[in-house]
Amino acid sequence: MPLSREKIAATAIRLADAHGLDGLSLRKIAKELGVGPMRLYDYVTNRSELLDLMVDVVYARIADVGQHSEWRSTVLTIAQATREAALEHEWFADLLGGRPHLGPHALAVGEANAAALSEAPGVRGIDDLQRALGALNAFIIGAVRREVTERRTARSTGTDEAAFQASRGPYLTRMLKTGRYPTIARLVIDGAHLNAEETFNHNLALVLDGITSRPRA
Amino acid sequence: MPLSREKIAATAIRLADAHGLDGLSLRKIAKELGVGPMRLYDYVTNRSELLDLMVDVVYARIADVGQHSEWRSTVLTIAQATREAALEHEWFADLLGGRPHLGPHALAVGEANAAALSEAPGVRGIDDLQRALGALNAFIIGAVRREVTERRTARSTGTDEAAFQASRGPYLTRMLKTGRYPTIARLVIDGAHLNAEETFNHNLALVLDGITSRPRA
DNA sequence: GTCTTCGTGGATACACCGTACGGTAGTGAC
DNA sequence: GTCACTACCGTACGGTGTATCCACGAAGAC
């Protein structure tokens, strides 16, 4: 079976899922495919172009959720699909917002979002649309990024509370004991572990409500 | 003059400002300081610990803006200072949200934000606070990241419109000509170049209004 | 059949990276 | 003087992305 961009992207995604973005190298991909490293350069000019390729494959799955008749449910569905994609492919969160996403499927997602938002009440002109899209994307990027790194540190320290206190604890508890960070201490100690998905949806609704209800600046 | 963590962090920041995070290496820092590469490991255990160090130096400058009597102006000032810091040190945006920021100054900024938000109307319990802080940080991270990568691509293609059309244009205009992305095309072609700072402040206010006005979930 | 051409696949090489390791020189204790 | 110990640093290893060069095999000309 001959090599192809699709096949390269697929195994790159598999490797990145397993070992993270740092553990991904052209040589390992080539070895996995049973070819020499330079063989990949016939299909991809750069490492970063390969990353763009991987990103767009993920966007393809996000775009699959399609658009609904209601603008709000379209936006919600796309945002949730983006979050789920990032949880499935954590390296995607590392790349999110880091370079312009101009692949065809990324553009399709952007188009669906933009078209939906343009029908939202309160979005009157093209300037409103640009701002609203910016707010939405900023929130999605930041929220997904935060959640993924939170999950990573939780996993690396161990899920249970005791292990966390033992690993990151020494430094952090010492810091909190100084009394200089009372509110943070309260959050760390008393804060319940909120459901991440619920929090995401709650704050996403907050942003959407702000977009629709905000008077023109 | 003896070596120190501060001195190492300072030259690392200088180099990162000049050549980006990818252009930053322990060897170059060491060479700049006139020492062997291994010398740095007496002060820093890791490359990533060095990055944490750099990040916290930037947070120190953000924390300097201090807290105001009004919770809202505190949050606004910190957010704007974060944005400005990221525009001055673009690598900071690359690291934002990518790892937990636990340095003393980062904690101070988090504390100031959390304390301010806890006084906001609509933030009733610790759960509300956690969510509100999450929404605020998510927006800041995403917005800053977006703006920095936008600025980077604008700079790499050349500031003026013509150069952009010439470099990224061939692919992008071809894509837009397909008619599959009408809303995006409208944004690219008709969209005015909104003032970035104004947009940031506008959307930040949107998020803060949402935090204060949203009924409990 | 023989020779030439050509394009594709792969090996090798280079510059650079983070970091482990081993030695060495200098200082203080007895 | 001798020894122990510490602070420092040069060298080396395994890895990375990528440029260059080469070998080989298939296709066509005569």
Side-chain angles (χ1 to χ4, degrees), chain A residues 60-107:
Chain A
R61 299 214 34 199
I62 295 174
D64 268 351
V65 302
Q67 22 197 339
H68 303 61
S69 53
E70 256 276 41
W71 71 268
R72 194 178 172 105
S73 78
T74 300
V75 171
L76 284 176
T77 312
I78 289 177
Q80 286 157 355
T82 303
R83 172 174 173 270
E84 276 157 26
L87 293 180
E88 189 178 344
H89 309 287
E90 295 193 343
W91 50 267
F92 183 72
D94 297 326
L95 263 23
L96 211 50
R99 70 180 68 247
H101 296 324
L102 296 176
H105 299 105
L107 283 179

Short mmCIF file of all heavy atoms in Angstrom, two decimals, chain A residues 60-107:
data_model
loop_
_atom_site.label_atom_id
_atom_site.label_comp_id
_atom_site.label_asym_id
_atom_site.label_seq_id
_atom_site.Cartn_x
_atom_site.Cartn_y
_atom_site.Cartn_z
N ALA A 60 -12.09 17.98 10.95
CA ALA A 60 -13.04 17.28 10.09
C ALA A 60 -14.10 16.58 10.94
O ALA A 60 -15.29 16.61 10.63
CB ALA A 60 -12.31 16.27 9.21
N ARG A 61 -13.65 15.98 12.02
CA ARG A 61 -14.62 15.29 12.89
C ARG A 61 -15.51 16.28 13.60
O ARG A 61 -16.68 16.01 13.87
CB ARG A 61 -13.87 14.43 13.89
CG ARG A 61 -13.02 13.37 13.19
CD ARG A 61 -12.95 12.09 13.98
NE ARG A 61 -14.17 11.82 14.70
CZ ARG A 61 -14.24 10.98 15.75
NH1 ARG A 61 -13.15 10.39 16.16
NH2 ARG A 61 -15.38 10.76 16.36
N ILE A 62 -14.95 17.44 13.94
CA ILE A 62 -15.77 18.46 14.59
C ILE A 62 -16.83 18.98 13.62
O ILE A 62 -17.99 19.19 14.00
CB ILE A 62 -14.88 19.61 15.10
CG1 ILE A 62 -13.93 19.10 16.19
CG2 ILE A 62 -15.73 20.75 15.63
CD1 ILE A 62 -12.92 20.12 16.65
N ALA A 63 -16.41 19.18 12.38
CA ALA A 63 -17.34 19.72 11.39
C ALA A 63 -18.48 18.74 11.13
O ALA A 63 -19.56 19.15 10.67
CB ALA A 63 -16.60 20.02 10.09
N ASP A 64 -18.27 17.48 11.43
CA ASP A 64 -19.28 16.47 11.14
C ASP A 64 -20.57 16.65 11.93
O ASP A 64 -21.60 16.10 11.54
CB ASP A 64 -18.71 15.07 11.43
CG ASP A 64 -18.09 14.48 10.18
OD1 ASP A 64 -18.27 15.08 9.11
OD2 ASP A 64 -17.44 13.42 10.27
N VAL A 65 -20.49 17.37 13.05
CA VAL A 65 -21.71 17.52 13.85
C VAL A 65 -22.76 18.33 13.13
O VAL A 65 -23.92 18.34 13.52
CB VAL A 65 -21.41 18.17 15.23
CG1 VAL A 65 -20.40 17.34 16.00
CG2 VAL A 65 -20.92 19.58 15.06
N GLY A 66 -22.37 19.00 12.06
CA GLY A 66 -23.34 19.67 11.21
C GLY A 66 -23.98 20.87 11.87
O GLY A 66 -23.75 21.17 13.03
N GLN A 67 -24.76 21.59 11.09
CA GLN A 67 -25.42 22.75 11.65
C GLN A 67 -26.90 22.46 11.84
O GLN A 67 -27.53 21.73 11.09
CB GLN A 67 -25.24 23.97 10.76
CG GLN A 67 -24.91 23.68 9.31
CD GLN A 67 -24.35 24.92 8.64
OE1 GLN A 67 -24.57 26.02 9.11
NE2 GLN A 67 -23.65 24.74 7.56
N HIS A 68 -27.39 23.06 12.90
CA HIS A 68 -28.80 22.91 13.23
C HIS A 68 -29.56 24.13 12.73
O HIS A 68 -29.00 25.10 12.25
CB HIS A 68 -28.97 22.76 14.73
CG HIS A 68 -28.18 21.60 15.29
ND1 HIS A 68 -26.81 21.51 15.21
CD2 HIS A 68 -28.58 20.49 15.94
CE1 HIS A 68 -26.40 20.40 15.78
NE2 HIS A 68 -27.45 19.75 16.23
N SER A 69 -30.89 24.06 12.91
CA SER A 69 -31.71 25.18 12.46
C SER A 69 -31.55 26.36 13.41
O SER A 69 -31.60 27.52 13.00
CB SER A 69 -33.17 24.75 12.37
OG SER A 69 -33.59 24.17 13.59
N GLU A 70 -31.39 26.06 14.67
CA GLU A 70 -31.24 27.11 15.66
C GLU A 70 -29.76 27.52 15.74
O GLU A 70 -28.89 26.65 15.91
CB GLU A 70 -31.69 26.60 17.03
CG GLU A 70 -33.05 27.10 17.46
CD GLU A 70 -32.95 28.47 18.11
OE1 GLU A 70 -32.18 29.31 17.59
OE2 GLU A 70 -33.64 28.69 19.13
N TRP A 71 -29.49 28.81 15.67
CA TRP A 71 -28.09 29.24 15.70
C TRP A 71 -27.42 28.82 17.00
O TRP A 71 -26.27 28.39 17.01
CB TRP A 71 -27.98 30.76 15.54
CG TRP A 71 -28.44 31.54 16.73
CD1 TRP A 71 -29.69 32.03 16.96
CD2 TRP A 71 -27.66 31.90 17.86
NE1 TRP A 71 -29.74 32.67 18.15
CE2 TRP A 71 -28.52 32.62 18.73
CE3 TRP A 71 -26.32 31.72 18.22
CZ2 TRP A 71 -28.08 33.13 19.95
CZ3 TRP A 71 -25.88 32.23 19.43
CH2 TRP A 71 -26.74 32.93 20.29
N ARG A 72 -28.16 28.91 18.10
CA ARG A 72 -27.55 28.65 19.38
C ARG A 72 -27.15 27.19 19.54
O ARG A 72 -26.09 26.87 20.08
CB ARG A 72 -28.51 29.06 20.51
CG ARG A 72 -27.83 29.14 21.86
CD ARG A 72 -28.83 29.59 22.93
NE ARG A 72 -28.25 29.50 24.25
CZ ARG A 72 -27.84 30.55 24.97
NH1 ARG A 72 -27.98 31.75 24.48
NH2 ARG A 72 -27.32 30.37 26.16
N SER A 73 -27.98 26.31 19.07
CA SER A 73 -27.64 24.90 19.22
C SER A 73 -26.49 24.53 18.29
O SER A 73 -25.69 23.64 18.61
CB SER A 73 -28.87 24.02 18.97
OG SER A 73 -29.09 23.89 17.57
N THR A 74 -26.38 25.21 17.16
CA THR A 74 -25.22 24.98 16.30
C THR A 74 -23.94 25.34 17.03
O THR A 74 -22.99 24.56 17.10
CB THR A 74 -25.32 25.84 15.02
OG1 THR A 74 -26.50 25.48 14.31
CG2 THR A 74 -24.10 25.64 14.14
N VAL A 75 -23.92 26.53 17.61
CA VAL A 75 -22.71 26.99 18.30
C VAL A 75 -22.40 26.08 19.48
O VAL A 75 -21.25 25.67 19.69
CB VAL A 75 -22.91 28.44 18.77
CG1 VAL A 75 -21.76 28.86 19.67
CG2 VAL A 75 -23.00 29.37 17.58
N LEU A 76 -23.42 25.73 20.25
CA LEU A 76 -23.21 24.86 21.41
C LEU A 76 -22.62 23.52 20.98
O LEU A 76 -21.66 23.02 21.58
CB LEU A 76 -24.54 24.63 22.15
CG LEU A 76 -25.06 25.78 23.02
CD1 LEU A 76 -26.43 25.42 23.60
CD2 LEU A 76 -24.07 26.06 24.15
N THR A 77 -23.21 22.96 19.95
CA THR A 77 -22.76 21.64 19.52
C THR A 77 -21.32 21.68 19.04
O THR A 77 -20.51 20.79 19.35
CB THR A 77 -23.67 21.12 18.38
OG1 THR A 77 -25.03 21.29 18.76
CG2 THR A 77 -23.39 19.67 18.12
N ILE A 78 -20.98 22.71 18.28
CA ILE A 78 -19.60 22.80 17.79
C ILE A 78 -18.63 22.98 18.94
O ILE A 78 -17.57 22.33 19.00
CB ILE A 78 -19.47 23.98 16.79
CG1 ILE A 78 -20.19 23.64 15.48
CG2 ILE A 78 -18.00 24.27 16.51
CD1 ILE A 78 -20.16 24.76 14.48
N ALA A 79 -18.99 23.82 19.89
CA ALA A 79 -18.10 24.05 21.03
C ALA A 79 -17.91 22.76 21.82
O ALA A 79 -16.78 22.42 22.21
CB ALA A 79 -18.67 25.14 21.93
N GLN A 80 -18.99 22.06 22.04
CA GLN A 80 -18.87 20.81 22.80
C GLN A 80 -18.06 19.78 22.03
O GLN A 80 -17.26 19.03 22.61
CB GLN A 80 -20.26 20.27 23.13
CG GLN A 80 -20.96 21.05 24.23
CD GLN A 80 -22.46 20.92 24.21
OE1 GLN A 80 -23.02 20.29 23.29
NE2 GLN A 80 -23.13 21.52 25.19
N ALA A 81 -18.26 19.74 20.73
CA ALA A 81 -17.48 18.79 19.92
C ALA A 81 -16.00 19.14 19.97
O ALA A 81 -15.14 18.26 20.00
CB ALA A 81 -17.99 18.80 18.48
N THR A 82 -15.70 20.43 19.96
CA THR A 82 -14.30 20.85 20.05
C THR A 82 -13.70 20.40 21.38
O THR A 82 -12.59 19.87 21.44
CB THR A 82 -14.20 22.38 19.94
OG1 THR A 82 -14.81 22.80 18.72
CG2 THR A 82 -12.74 22.82 19.96
N ARG A 83 -14.46 20.61 22.45
CA ARG A 83 -13.98 20.19 23.75
C ARG A 83 -13.74 18.68 23.78
O ARG A 83 -12.70 18.21 24.26
CB ARG A 83 -15.00 20.56 24.83
CG ARG A 83 -14.67 19.98 26.19
CD ARG A 83 -15.60 20.48 27.26
NE ARG A 83 -15.33 19.76 28.49
CZ ARG A 83 -15.94 18.63 28.82
NH1 ARG A 83 -16.85 18.11 28.02
NH2 ARG A 83 -15.64 18.02 29.95
N GLU A 84 -14.69 17.93 23.26
CA GLU A 84 -14.54 16.48 23.30
C GLU A 84 -13.37 16.02 22.45
O GLU A 84 -12.64 15.09 22.82
CB GLU A 84 -15.84 15.80 22.82
CG GLU A 84 -16.87 15.68 23.93
CD GLU A 84 -18.29 15.56 23.38
OE1 GLU A 84 -18.43 15.08 22.23
OE2 GLU A 84 -19.23 15.97 24.09
N ALA A 85 -13.18 16.68 21.32
CA ALA A 85 -12.03 16.32 20.47
C ALA A 85 -10.73 16.57 21.21
O ALA A 85 -9.79 15.77 21.14
CB ALA A 85 -12.07 17.13 19.18
N ALA A 86 -10.67 17.66 21.95
CA ALA A 86 -9.44 17.98 22.67
C ALA A 86 -9.20 17.00 23.81
O ALA A 86 -8.05 16.71 24.16
CB ALA A 86 -9.50 19.41 23.20
N LEU A 87 -10.28 16.52 24.40
CA LEU A 87 -10.10 15.54 25.48
C LEU A 87 -9.65 14.20 24.91
O LEU A 87 -8.92 13.45 25.57
CB LEU A 87 -11.41 15.37 26.26
CG LEU A 87 -11.85 16.61 27.05
CD1 LEU A 87 -13.14 16.35 27.79
CD2 LEU A 87 -10.76 17.02 28.03
N GLU A 88 -10.08 13.93 23.69
CA GLU A 88 -9.68 12.68 23.06
C GLU A 88 -8.24 12.79 22.52
O GLU A 88 -7.48 11.83 22.57
CB GLU A 88 -10.65 12.35 21.92
CG GLU A 88 -10.46 10.96 21.34
CD GLU A 88 -11.49 10.69 20.24
OE1 GLU A 88 -12.49 11.44 20.17
OE2 GLU A 88 -11.27 9.76 19.45
N HIS A 89 -7.91 13.96 22.00
CA HIS A 89 -6.55 14.18 21.46
C HIS A 89 -5.95 15.38 22.18
O HIS A 89 -6.09 16.52 21.72
CB HIS A 89 -6.61 14.47 19.96
CG HIS A 89 -7.38 13.48 19.16
ND1 HIS A 89 -6.93 12.21 18.89
CD2 HIS A 89 -8.60 13.54 18.58
CE1 HIS A 89 -7.80 11.55 18.17
NE2 HIS A 89 -8.84 12.35 17.96
N GLU A 90 -5.29 15.11 23.28
CA GLU A 90 -4.86 16.23 24.13
C GLU A 90 -3.88 17.16 23.41
O GLU A 90 -3.82 18.34 23.69
CB GLU A 90 -4.24 15.68 25.42
CG GLU A 90 -5.24 14.92 26.27
CD GLU A 90 -4.74 14.65 27.67
OE1 GLU A 90 -3.52 14.75 27.89
OE2 GLU A 90 -5.57 14.35 28.54
N TRP A 91 -3.11 16.63 22.49
CA TRP A 91 -2.17 17.47 21.73
C TRP A 91 -2.92 18.53 20.93
O TRP A 91 -2.38 19.59 20.63
CB TRP A 91 -1.33 16.61 20.80
CG TRP A 91 -2.15 15.69 19.96
CD1 TRP A 91 -2.47 14.40 20.24
CD2 TRP A 91 -2.78 15.99 18.72
NE1 TRP A 91 -3.26 13.89 19.25
CE2 TRP A 91 -3.46 14.82 18.31
CE3 TRP A 91 -2.83 17.12 17.90
CZ2 TRP A 91 -4.19 14.77 17.12
CZ3 TRP A 91 -3.55 17.07 16.72
CH2 TRP A 91 -4.21 15.90 16.34
N PHE A 92 -4.17 18.24 20.61
CA PHE A 92 -4.97 19.22 19.88
C PHE A 92 -5.12 20.50 20.70
O PHE A 92 -5.06 21.62 20.17
CB PHE A 92 -6.35 18.63 19.56
CG PHE A 92 -7.24 19.52 18.75
CD1 PHE A 92 -6.98 19.74 17.42
CD2 PHE A 92 -8.34 20.14 19.32
CE1 PHE A 92 -7.80 20.56 16.65
CE2 PHE A 92 -9.17 20.96 18.57
CZ PHE A 92 -8.89 21.16 17.23
N ALA A 93 -5.27 20.34 22.00
CA ALA A 93 -5.39 21.51 22.87
C ALA A 93 -4.08 22.31 22.87
O ALA A 93 -4.08 23.54 22.95
CB ALA A 93 -5.73 21.08 24.29
N ASP A 94 -2.95 21.61 22.77
CA ASP A 94 -1.67 22.31 22.74
C ASP A 94 -1.54 23.17 21.49
O ASP A 94 -0.87 24.21 21.51
CB ASP A 94 -0.52 21.30 22.79
CG ASP A 94 -0.54 20.49 24.07
OD1 ASP A 94 -0.92 21.06 25.11
OD2 ASP A 94 -0.18 19.31 24.04
N LEU A 95 -2.15 22.73 20.42
CA LEU A 95 -2.04 23.44 19.15
C LEU A 95 -3.12 24.50 18.99
O LEU A 95 -3.01 25.39 18.13
CB LEU A 95 -2.13 22.43 18.00
CG LEU A 95 -0.84 21.92 17.38
CD1 LEU A 95 0.34 22.05 18.34
CD2 LEU A 95 -0.98 20.46 16.96
N LEU A 96 -4.16 24.40 19.79
CA LEU A 96 -5.32 25.28 19.65
C LEU A 96 -4.92 26.73 19.89
O LEU A 96 -4.39 27.08 20.94
CB LEU A 96 -6.39 24.86 20.66
CG LEU A 96 -7.85 25.07 20.29
CD1 LEU A 96 -8.16 24.51 18.93
CD2 LEU A 96 -8.74 24.45 21.35
N GLY A 97 -5.19 27.56 18.92
CA GLY A 97 -4.88 28.97 19.06
C GLY A 97 -3.42 29.29 18.84
O GLY A 97 -3.03 30.44 18.91
N GLY A 98 -2.62 28.29 18.59
CA GLY A 98 -1.18 28.51 18.45
C GLY A 98 -0.74 28.88 17.05
O GLY A 98 0.30 29.47 16.85
N ARG A 99 -1.54 28.54 16.09
CA ARG A 99 -1.25 28.93 14.70
C ARG A 99 -2.59 29.10 14.01
O ARG A 99 -3.59 28.55 14.46
CB ARG A 99 -0.40 27.86 14.01
CG ARG A 99 -1.16 26.58 13.75
CD ARG A 99 -0.29 25.56 13.06
NE ARG A 99 0.77 25.08 13.89
CZ ARG A 99 2.08 25.31 13.67
NH1 ARG A 99 2.46 25.97 12.62
NH2 ARG A 99 2.99 24.84 14.48
N PRO A 100 -2.63 29.86 12.94
CA PRO A 100 -3.91 30.03 12.25
C PRO A 100 -4.38 28.70 11.67
O PRO A 100 -3.61 27.98 11.05
CB PRO A 100 -3.58 31.03 11.14
CG PRO A 100 -2.10 30.97 10.97
CD PRO A 100 -1.54 30.63 12.31
N HIS A 101 -5.62 28.39 11.92
CA HIS A 101 -6.16 27.13 11.42
C HIS A 101 -6.85 27.40 10.10
O HIS A 101 -7.98 27.88 10.06
CB HIS A 101 -7.14 26.55 12.44
CG HIS A 101 -6.49 26.19 13.72
ND1 HIS A 101 -5.21 25.68 13.80
CD2 HIS A 101 -6.91 26.26 14.99
CE1 HIS A 101 -4.90 25.44 15.05
NE2 HIS A 101 -5.90 25.80 15.81
N LEU A 102 -6.16 27.06 9.02
CA LEU A 102 -6.67 27.42 7.70
C LEU A 102 -6.99 26.21 6.84
O LEU A 102 -7.27 26.35 5.66
CB LEU A 102 -5.64 28.30 6.98
CG LEU A 102 -5.38 29.66 7.64
CD1 LEU A 102 -4.29 30.41 6.89
CD2 LEU A 102 -6.66 30.47 7.67
N GLY A 103 -6.93 25.02 7.43
CA GLY A 103 -7.29 23.84 6.65
C GLY A 103 -8.75 23.91 6.23
O GLY A 103 -9.53 24.64 6.82
N PRO A 104 -9.11 23.14 5.23
CA PRO A 104 -10.48 23.20 4.72
C PRO A 104 -11.52 22.87 5.79
O PRO A 104 -12.57 23.53 5.86
CB PRO A 104 -10.49 22.16 3.60
CG PRO A 104 -9.26 21.34 3.78
CD PRO A 104 -8.27 22.21 4.45
N HIS A 105 -11.23 21.91 6.63
CA HIS A 105 -12.23 21.54 7.63
C HIS A 105 -12.26 22.55 8.76
O HIS A 105 -13.31 22.83 9.32
CB HIS A 105 -11.93 20.15 8.17
CG HIS A 105 -11.98 19.09 7.13
ND1 HIS A 105 -10.86 18.51 6.60
CD2 HIS A 105 -13.03 18.52 6.48
CE1 HIS A 105 -11.21 17.61 5.69
NE2 HIS A 105 -12.52 17.60 5.58
N ALA A 106 -11.10 23.12 9.08
CA ALA A 106 -11.09 24.19 10.09
C ALA A 106 -11.90 25.38 9.58
O ALA A 106 -12.67 25.99 10.33
CB ALA A 106 -9.66 24.61 10.39
N LEU A 107 -11.74 25.69 8.32
CA LEU A 107 -12.52 26.78 7.74
C LEU A 107 -14.01 26.45 7.78
O LEU A 107 -14.84 27.33 8.03
CB LEU A 107 -12.08 27.04 6.30
CG LEU A 107 -10.76 27.80 6.13
CD1 LEU A 107 -10.43 27.97 4.65
CD2 LEU A 107 -10.83 29.16 6.81
#
